[in-house]
Amino acid sequence: MEIYWGGSLAEQIEFLAKGIADVILSKDNVMEAMMAESTQNYMPLIGYPSYTAFFISAREKPRINKAYFLDKTIGLVDYPTSRSAHILPKQVFKQLDIDLSALQIVYASSHSALRELLSKGEVDIIASYWQEQDQQRFSKNYITAIADNVSGSKWYIKMADENTDLACALQVSISDVVNDVQSSYFNKLRHYWQCDSAPYKFIGGDESEN
């Protein structure tokens, strides 16, 4: 078994386009762009819940206007497919007619690294999601929503054969690992395979994520 962790977007695209990965964590926009479900037979196992993306500050409630951002240091993740911490905030800047070169942007490797930058005062604002443990360091009064109902990532399995036993076993294993993480975000995982009775059934993607 080979495991690849923290690959770049280019590597993820290559894995999907060539069908290299048997199991992969990806996002709807990447899967759709690569047509990976139809061309490489990737099917979802588990979907993370939808969430809200925020601008988060340590000292004040962020305002969505051009003048506010121009004198702030802003923390984003250095990962172009991250919606909450890269795509959506940059969409806000574009809507406000702000040239990115006019902004002081600091890129971090992860959402955790963003929070470290904010807590140390190295940035004024970060773009991310809000989690319960954030209240230990930051105030919920100092967050401003960027977008609601942002779809979460999904674990996909490459199903060249109808190996439903394998799909169900992986779904259980991934659920066990995820549920060990103490976060309310994982309380509403969407399971795409109904595995508690035979024959196993795939639950289509048109149903609610919740």
Side-chain angles (χ1 to χ4, degrees), residues 24-199:
I24 190 168
L25 177 66
S26 191
K27 299 178 181 179
D28 290 342
N29 56 332
V30 177
M31 298 298 289
E32 290 167 6
M34 299 305 301
M35 296 186 292
E37 292 178 86
S38 59
T39 61
Q40 298 293 347
N41 299 312
Y42 283 104
M43 300 183 74
L45 286 168
I46 290 176
Y48 293 106
S50 298
Y51 59 93
T52 300
F54 294 97
F55 283 119
I56 304 172
S57 172
R59 292 176 289 186
E60 61 182 356
K61 186 175 180 65
R63 299 190 299 275
I64 308 296
N65 64 61
K66 185 174 183 177
Y68 179 79
F69 290 111
L70 289 176
D71 67 348
K72 297 292 187 297
T73 302
I74 303 159
L76 304 179
V77 296
D78 191 17
Y79 195 54
T81 60
S82 172
R83 280 165 285 191
S84 62
H86 196 106
I87 296 173
L88 291 171
K90 286 191 173 182
Q91 286 180 353
V92 170
F93 302 146
K94 184 176 181 179
Q95 291 165 2
L96 294 173
D97 194 29
I98 302 175
D99 188 333
L100 290 181
S101 63
L103 294 173
Q104 302 175 63
I105 298 177
V106 176
Y107 290 99
S109 60
S110 67
H111 289 269
S112 296
L114 281 180
R115 284 161 171 77
E116 286 300 313
L117 290 174
L118 185 61
S119 66
K120 293 177 180 178
E122 295 179 20
V123 296
D124 299 307
I125 312 164
I126 63 172
S128 188
Y129 52 86
W130 181 261
Q131 50 190 0
E132 286 184 3
Q133 53 263 47
D134 285 333
Q135 296 183 80
Q136 298 172 13
R137 291 193 288 180
F138 311 116
S139 170
K140 204 169 184 179
N141 291 322
Y142 295 161
I143 65 177
T144 298
I146 303 173
D148 296 321
N149 296 317
V150 181
S151 61
S153 300
K154 296 184 179 72
W155 284 97
Y156 290 85
I157 181 174
K158 186 180 179 184
M159 289 286 286
D161 302 311
E162 291 299 318
N163 194 343
T164 50
D165 284 348
L166 176 61
C168 288
L170 283 170
Q171 182 172 259
V172 171
S173 296
I174 294 172
S175 294
D176 288 344
V177 172
V178 170
N179 287 329
D180 284 339
V181 179
Q182 300 300 312
S183 171
S184 60
Y185 177 69
F186 300 111
N187 289 343
K188 296 182 180 179
L189 285 176
R190 167 79 186 280
H191 293 79
Y192 285 87
W193 291 83
Q194 183 178 316
C195 299
D196 54 355
S197 61

